[in-house]
């Protein structure tokens, strides 16, 4: 085996690691978003259930607790998603440089307007935060 073969094998291994990390991070990004959406949905169900029994002082306290927890959860979601998006963008930049055919495919399918990741990171947590602010006012 020559030095060139060793270099090529090392580069292939590095490329494989980079590609595997890109695929892993994409999966994690959407899984985390799905978990937060599920948590928000369950909290909304809990809030509306408590709202139907809002006559008691205990239920009113429960409404406030659920709304505050929902608000904190949506803010945490926005923060975590923002950090993950920054990491994903940097990683995708590296992948695009290393795999020009992948970059070309991404460019071909890209449409004008907001990117789906941007909507998941900023729009969904904003809607959830706004919802909890309204619910807190109702509580």
């Amino acid at each position: 085996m020559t030095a060139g073969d060793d270099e090529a094998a090392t580069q292939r291994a590095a490329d494989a690691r980079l590609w595997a990390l890109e695929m892993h991070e994409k999966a994690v990004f959407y899984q985390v978003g799905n978990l937060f959406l599920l948590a928000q949905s369950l909290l909304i169900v809990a809030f509306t259930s408590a709202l139907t029994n809002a006559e008691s002082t205990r239920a009113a306290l429960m409404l406030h607790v659920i709304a505050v927890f929902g608000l904190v959860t949506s803010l945490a979601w926005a923060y975590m998603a923002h950090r993950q998006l920054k990491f994903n963008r940097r990683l995708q930049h590296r992948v695009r440089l290393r795999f020009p055919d992948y970059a070309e495919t991404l460019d071909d399918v890209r449409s004008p307007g907001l990117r789906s990741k941007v909507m998941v990171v900023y729009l969904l947590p904003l809607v959830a935060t706004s919802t909890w602010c309204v619910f807190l006012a109702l509580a």
Side-chain angles (χ1 to χ4, degrees):
M1 200 178 251
T2 67
D5 291 340
D6 286 344
E7 223 175 88
T10 301
Q11 185 60 53
R12 279 193 305 275
D15 288 349
R17 285 191 308 274
L18 181 63
W19 184 255
L21 181 59
E22 168 74 357
M23 294 300 105
H24 171 75
E25 286 300 318
K26 277 186 178 184
V28 167
F29 179 82
Y30 288 108
Q31 286 173 356
V32 168
N34 286 337
L35 288 174
F36 272 108
L37 279 172
L38 177 64
Q40 291 290 306
S41 299
L42 293 174
L43 286 168
I44 288 172
V45 168
F47 184 87
T48 56
S49 294
L51 192 59
T52 60
N53 301 320
E55 296 84 34
S56 71
T57 307
R58 181 179 251 175
L61 176 64
M62 185 59 68
L63 285 172
H64 281 87
V65 168
I66 294 169
V68 167
F69 187 68
L71 182 62
V72 169
T73 303
S74 64
L75 292 172
W77 177 15
Y79 175 75
M80 290 170 54
H82 172 73
R83 288 180 51 93
Q84 194 171 15
L85 180 64
K86 284 175 48 176
F87 178 79
N88 284 350
R89 282 182 173 164
R90 182 65 187 128
L91 178 60
Q92 190 173 60
H93 175 72
R94 289 185 60 212
V95 171
R96 288 173 71 92
L97 291 175
R98 189 65 196 129
F99 301 102
D101 55 331
Y102 177 66
E104 184 180 335
T105 302
L106 289 178
D107 292 340
D108 286 345
V109 299
R110 200 158 281 204
S111 58
L114 283 176
R115 306 284 180 252
S116 60
K117 278 188 179 181
V118 171
M119 291 173 66
V120 168
V121 169
Y122 299 112
L123 185 61
L124 290 177
L126 177 65
V127 169
T129 300
S130 301
T131 301
W132 289 113
C133 288
V134 170
F135 283 0
L136 207 52
L138 290 175

